[in-house]
Amino acid sequence: MEDSRSFEEKSFSNGDVYVGEIKAILPHGKGKYTWSDGTVYEGDWEDGKRTGKGVIYWPSGTKYEGEISGGYLHGYGTFTRSTGCVYRGSWRMNSHHGIGWKEYSNSDSYEGLWRGGIREGCGRYSWSNGNTYVGNWKGGKIDGRGVMKWANGDIFDGCWVNGLRHGSGVYRFADGGLYIGTWSKGLKDGKGTFYPAGSKHPSLRKCSINSDDSRLSLNTAKHTAPKPRVKRSLSEKILGSSRSKSSRQISQRTKSLDAYQNLRSPTGDRTCHDSSSPVWQTFGESQSEASVTSTLVYEREYMQGVLIMERTKKYSESSHKNKRQNKFNVTPVKKSSCMDIFGGHRSYYLKLNLQLGIRYTVGKVTPVPAREVRSSDFGDRAMIRMYFPKEGSQRTPPHYSIDFDWKDYCPMVFRNLREMFKLDAADYMMSICGDCGLRDISSPGKSGSIFYLSQDERFVIKTLKKSELKFLLNMLPKYYNHVGKYENTLITKFFGLHRITLRGGKKVRFVVMGNMFCTELHIHRRYDLKGSSQGRCTNKDKINSHTTLKDLDLKYEFQMDIKLRESLLNQISIDCKFLESQHIIDYSLLLGLHFRAPENLKALAGSLQRQDSLPSGDDVKQGEQLIIPKGLLLVAHEPSFVDTTPGPHIRGKLKAHSIGDMEVDLLLPGTARLRVQLGVNMPAQAISKVQEDKVDASEVELFEVYDVVLYMGIIDILQEYNMKKKIEHACKSLKFDPMTISVVEPKIYAQRFINFFHKKVFPETP
């Protein structure tokens, strides 16, 4: 077929000029288009659009040379600004997208993955001052697992969030010192171990560092020197691709994999091995000959970047190895519980069933006009019952789980409770039934229950025994009246009660509760307090950052605003009287503490800051500044400054004596303004009750007064008091002699509980 293209020159009324091939009346083939403002494009055209390869010159001096599709920079190309900034790599719709290399006008450079013009994925950033980072990026910031190496030789390998160190990590100092621990928003926060320069380090192969990205794993096994090979940059590899479209697509995919391996290490080794730096040469050494030699190491604990405790210990590589081997050789005794039936994929199906049922139930009752609950809305006969076959039915959708029967207890009661707690039905469903699913969490008690956590951590879902479900149903009318009358109640908030029946007749019962520890602040300590001393301590060898401690582990008493203390203790008394009326015993107050560094540690913190000060590039510089909090400050409540979105722990209004009986917010340095509610965001001072002569000589307390933020709620309220089964335990717990007292009533437990918090935990301010 004869080609109808011709070569012409056209001038337009607006001053534009085109010289090149034309098909019909449209540019098609090779051509040059000059706009009236001085912009020039010279290259391929297709049906009047710039498509193929070409060069664009802008009047400012900026230039693009590469692939274009439909008028967009799309494919592979090089973009050079007049300022000296150069990008060479993949494009999509005028944005950097895919693999690319960019050198900035300040001499910084980045080589890695892009998404929509933003650094996203794995990449290497080199600052002009000599700092380098290799790892994950998100939204243009360091986020995920990665390795930062500073110009002075310091190296950090660990987790990052929003450009700051956050999570587990290993910090290697240039002088050979090593710190393994956790960080929070750029500051050391939590427990860790420091190995001084010259000491024997553990094999980091054994140091567990959690990460969601397994591609950048901390693997420090011995490595051999890389084989000599021709070094080519990422851009040179991409330039070697075929010109045809089909072969270009295949080669781009191949080079993406090749470039990704190159990003992990420019020498071909893993990211954490920098063969040009002697710092890493001892990191993965087996130390087989020297491992039996003990050395002095320091166990440290930080809060908000300030060292609060340090103890010394002897470290032996061989003994550490033996302990690990013994740990894995022990076969634990398997407890019989409902957990046994959910091995493998069964738990996955159970969570899907739970989400399907809640979505169906909430969607069914929400459109019903609001009304007062009636007596018929309570009890085990007030329910919604539905069968969910896998293939779906007229009333249920098809799904990927297994067939199950669903039962939702007292739907109108819990619908009104959710409204009473100011919880939006759509938010409730999105939190529990969203695409992200539910997370498994280990049981904090001995009940053998299964616990799930919603992805946004607002709700906890717990399996119940049949007796616990019946008890909650019997208590529900009084519970409904109590939480309706006392909006500041500390008693656990219940949002739904459900039962799933699986094939074979196995029944699993669930209750949905609010998570009182859903907060933007880090919870440093958790306590389960019963006001008892019988068996109320934790084995020190089993304590970690997530351990829930007990009464005898609590070393502090708390002092707070007079009004807040009065409201708190009054509500504890009211709630205990309700639990007493329901014949409930053995409940606890769950207490969470967020510590803030005190004002009197400025000098100490300053020295620590000088010791730990690290150079940084532009993207991480803010995280390296040690911010010393100036204490807690109560201010008048201003809704415009506070996130007042209703949640699972919304409380009523609180006033503070210290600012003239006004509703209050809490201000913390480096943190948003927080709404103070009963049991949520409550400021206090924690005063250590440990005497100096009782402190272990190997443990050094650096200070005794802390500014803290408290979170609390009364839990374990679903166990009815049973005289025959509980009397001996209750007598021991409350230090009564079973032989001299015939009846231990819930009233005694309640009074003991109330007195404990009045006198021991929240005493009057001296």
Side-chain angles (χ1 to χ4, degrees):
M1 184 174 180
E2 186 177 349
D3 193 346
S4 60
R5 287 183 294 180
S6 60
F7 189 88
E8 297 183 17
E9 178 177 345
K10 280 194 172 185
S11 298
F12 302 92
S13 58
N14 61 358
D16 295 353
V17 176
Y18 174 75
V19 178
E21 295 178 296
I22 292 179
K23 181 180 179 181
I25 60 173
L26 299 175
H28 189 89
K30 299 288 185 180
K32 179 179 179 181
Y33 196 103
T34 305
W35 283 265
S36 58
D37 63 358
T39 304
V40 177
Y41 170 73
E42 186 173 2
D44 297 331
W45 294 80
E46 188 175 303
D47 294 328
K49 294 183 178 180
R50 292 170 289 169
T51 301
K53 288 186 176 291
V55 183
I56 304 177
Y57 302 92
W58 283 271
S60 62
T62 301
K63 173 186 174 182
Y64 173 79
E65 181 176 3
E67 295 174 329
I68 297 176
S69 179
Y72 293 98
L73 311 186
H74 193 92
Y76 177 81
T78 302
F79 190 92
T80 306
R81 293 185 180 274
S82 57
T83 58
C85 180
V86 179
Y87 172 79
R88 184 183 301 113
S90 298
W91 294 78
R92 189 176 76 173
M93 304 291 286
N94 288 345
S95 296
H96 312 336
H97 194 92
I99 298 176
W101 171 84
K102 186 171 186 176
E103 182 175 358
Y104 298 87
S105 54
N106 62 356
S107 298
D108 290 357
S109 65
Y110 172 79
E111 183 177 16
L113 297 174
W114 300 77
R115 184 181 180 89
I118 298 174
R119 297 186 291 273
E120 183 100 17
C122 187
R124 172 189 291 271
Y125 196 103
S126 300
W127 284 267
S128 57
N129 62 5
N131 299 340
T132 59
Y133 170 80
V134 180
N136 289 307
W137 297 75
K138 184 177 180 181
K141 294 185 177 181
I142 296 173
D143 198 295
R145 183 63 182 276
V147 180
M148 173 71 77
K149 181 177 180 181
W150 285 271
N152 68 347
D154 288 358
I155 298 175
F156 173 79
D157 186 336
C159 301
W160 303 74
V161 172
N162 200 29
L164 303 174
R165 296 192 294 268
H166 191 90
S168 302
V170 178
Y171 196 103
R172 177 66 184 257
F173 297 90
D175 63 1
L178 182 72
Y179 179 78
I180 303 173
T182 58
W183 280 256
S184 177
K185 296 182 179 179
L187 301 175
K188 291 176 184 173
D189 201 24
K191 295 183 178 180
T193 305
F194 176 68
Y195 299 84
S199 63
K200 301 295 182 182
H201 298 161
S203 172
L204 292 186
R205 180 170 51 244
K206 301 176 182 178
C207 299
S208 175
I209 296 186
N210 299 324
S211 174
D212 294 333
D213 190 349
S214 59
R215 294 175 300 179
L216 288 169
S217 61
L218 183 62
N219 187 341
T220 57
K222 284 187 176 182
H223 60 279
T224 57
K227 296 180 180 180
R229 63 180 182 181
V230 178
K231 294 185 178 180
R232 293 193 301 164
S233 68
L234 177 65
S235 57
E236 289 172 332
K237 293 179 182 178
I238 297 178
L239 281 172
S241 62
S242 172
R243 292 181 178 273
S244 67
K245 289 186 177 180
S246 59
S247 62
R248 180 171 65 244
Q249 292 173 352
I250 297 173
S251 62
Q252 286 283 6
R253 285 195 290 267
T254 304
K255 282 182 301 222
S256 296
L257 295 174
D258 187 18
Y260 173 70
Q261 295 297 329
N262 188 45
L263 285 173
R264 298 185 68 178
S265 172
T267 61
D269 287 334
R270 293 176 174 84
T271 302
C272 63
H273 294 157
D274 187 348
S275 60
S276 65
S277 172
V279 176
W280 286 106
Q281 292 177 5
T282 59
F283 242 41
E285 291 180 359
S286 62
Q287 299 177 348
S288 57
E289 296 180 359
S291 60
V292 286
T293 304
S294 296
T295 184
L296 201 62
V297 299
Y298 300 88
E299 288 185 348
R300 291 180 174 179
E301 184 170 1
Y302 290 84
M303 287 179 186
Q304 305 293 310
V306 176
L307 181 65
I308 62 167
M309 188 167 62
E310 180 180 274
R311 70 172 65 172
T312 60
K313 70 171 186 177
K314 294 283 186 176
Y315 174 80
S316 172
E317 181 78 15
S318 60
S319 63
H320 182 67
K321 184 186 301 183
N322 292 335
K323 287 181 181 179
R324 290 178 58 86
Q325 291 174 347
N326 293 336
K327 179 179 179 180
F328 286 103
N329 288 334
V330 174
T331 303
V333 178
K334 186 177 181 181
K335 294 184 179 180
S336 176
S337 70
C338 59
M339 183 76 79
D340 300 341
I341 69 167
F342 300 121
H345 298 291
R346 300 290 294 277
S347 180
Y348 169 74
Y349 291 135
L350 189 63
K351 287 184 283 188
L352 284 182
N353 295 349
L354 188 61
Q355 290 179 299
L356 285 167
I358 291 178
R359 188 183 295 116
Y360 175 85
T361 301
V362 176
K364 187 176 180 64
V365 301
T366 299
V368 177
R371 62 170 175 81
E372 289 293 327
V373 296
R374 300 186 281 260
S375 58
S376 59
D377 292 322
F378 295 94
D380 56 0
R381 294 190 177 183
M383 69 178 76
I384 294 176
R385 189 168 186 171
M386 183 59 56
Y387 177 61
F388 284 80
K390 185 175 182 180
E391 63 276 7
S393 66
Q394 291 183 349
R395 301 175 65 184
T396 63
H399 56 84
Y400 295 100
S401 186
I402 55 179
D403 299 347
F404 67 98
D405 276 298
W406 172 260
K407 184 182 287 188
D408 183 79
Y409 293 95
C410 307
M412 287 303 298
V413 175
F414 284 104
R415 173 248 171 93
N416 281 19
L417 280 173
R418 291 191 291 268
E419 292 183 351
M420 195 182 297
F421 298 144
K422 299 179 176 63
L423 180 62
D424 183 73
D427 290 341
Y428 182 64
M429 283 195 294
M430 285 298 296
S431 178
I432 296 178
C433 308
D435 295 335
C436 294
L438 302 171
R439 294 182 345 201
D440 297 84
I441 56 176
S442 59
S443 171
K446 301 178 181 179
S447 63
S449 298
I450 300 173
F451 286 81
Y452 297 137
L453 188 66
S454 62
Q455 283 297 322
D456 58 7
E457 300 186 355
R458 297 173 68 189
F459 302 97
V460 176
I461 302 173
K462 175 190 176 184
T463 58
L464 298 177
K465 300 175 183 176
K466 184 177 180 179
S467 59
E468 293 174 330
L469 182 140
K470 286 186 174 181
F471 182 70
L472 178 54
L473 288 174
N474 292 334
M475 182 184 68
L476 194 57
K478 298 288 182 65
Y479 172 85
Y480 183 87
N481 292 332
H482 180 79
V483 299
K485 184 177 180 180
Y486 301 103
E487 61 180 356
N488 281 324
T489 180
L490 295 171
I491 292 177
T492 304
K493 283 182 165 54
F494 297 118
F495 299 96
L497 187 61
H498 317 289
R499 191 186 80 181
I500 292 173
T501 304
L502 303 173
R503 286 179 298 188
K506 181 64 183 180
K507 297 179 176 64
V508 189
R509 303 159 187 89
F510 293 95
V511 63
V512 183
M513 306 177 290
N515 175 20
M516 69 185 68
F517 290 159
C518 179
T519 169
E520 63 183 271
L521 301 181
H522 179 62
I523 303 297
H524 295 99
R525 291 287 187 277
R526 296 169 174 82
Y527 294 91
D528 182 293
L529 304 176
K530 293 182 181 293
S532 171
S533 59
Q534 184 68 30
R536 301 299 296 165
C537 62
T538 309
N539 188 335
K540 291 186 177 181
D541 295 334
K542 298 181 179 180
I543 295 177
N544 57 44
S545 58
H546 301 292
T547 301
T548 300
L549 305 173
K550 299 179 182 178
D551 298 66
L552 296 180
D553 304 315
L554 184 65
K555 300 179 180 179
Y556 314 106
E557 59 183 28
F558 303 96
Q559 295 182 355
M560 60 175 66
D561 180 273
I562 298 174
K563 262 302 193 198
L564 299 184
R565 176 184 180 274
E566 179 183 316
S567 299
L568 176 63
L569 294 177
N570 181 55
Q571 191 61 52
I572 289 177
S573 298
I574 292 172
D575 290 338
C576 284
K577 291 185 183 302
F578 166 75
L579 298 175
E580 175 191 329
S581 70
Q582 299 303 300
H583 305 286
I584 299 172
I585 199 169
D586 211 29
Y587 46 85
S588 312
L589 186 128
L590 188 61
L591 176 66
L593 308 182
H594 169 80
F595 287 85
R596 305 295 290 185
E599 179 74 13
N600 59 5
L601 274 189
K602 277 190 175 180
L604 172 63
S607 63
L608 290 173
Q609 183 178 14
R610 290 189 295 273
Q611 176 183 343
D612 293 344
S613 60
L614 308 169
S616 172
D618 295 340
D619 283 13
V620 294
K621 187 176 296 182
Q622 296 178 359
E624 306 306 326
Q625 298 172 357
L626 184 59
I627 302 173
I628 304 304
K630 297 180 180 179
L632 305 176
L633 180 63
L634 281 174
V635 295
H637 175 54
E638 295 186 33
S640 59
F641 287 93
V642 183
D643 182 8
T644 56
T645 304
H649 37 233
I650 189 74
R651 308 289 187 191
K653 300 175 181 178
L654 277 184
K655 296 182 179 181
H657 173 79
S658 56
I659 62 169
D661 290 348
M662 300 176 65
E663 293 179 42
V664 288
D665 299 338
L666 177 62
L667 288 182
L668 298 89
T671 308
R673 191 177 182 125
L674 304 175
R675 179 77 165 106
V676 177
Q677 303 167 71
L678 200 64
V680 179
N681 299 328
M682 297 195 69
Q685 273 200 333
I687 302 174
S688 175
K689 296 187 291 188
V690 179
Q691 302 297 324
E692 291 184 5
D693 56 346
K694 294 183 180 181
V695 177
D696 188 352
S698 65
E699 183 175 316
V700 180
E701 289 280 356
L702 297 182
F703 55 85
E704 295 184 346
V705 180
Y706 306 81
D707 285 331
V708 295
V709 185
L710 306 180
Y711 299 83
M712 63 193 75
I714 297 176
I715 61 171
D716 295 337
I717 68 170
L718 298 182
Q719 297 183 15
E720 185 178 13
Y721 176 69
N722 184 299
M723 189 67 64
K724 293 181 180 179
K725 294 182 179 180
K726 289 284 187 177
I727 182 147
E728 184 175 353
H729 169 74
C731 288
K732 288 182 179 179
S733 175
L734 302 177
K735 293 191 173 181
F736 286 106
D737 184 354
M739 301 298 293
T740 61
I741 186 166
S742 58
V743 177
V744 177
E745 298 179 354
K747 181 177 181 180
I748 299 176
Y749 189 92
Q751 193 59 50
R752 170 83 182 195
F753 193 83
I754 294 169
N755 291 341
F756 175 67
F757 291 101
H758 270 269
K759 298 178 180 179
K760 300 293 185 181
V761 183
F762 302 106
E764 291 187 22
T765 304

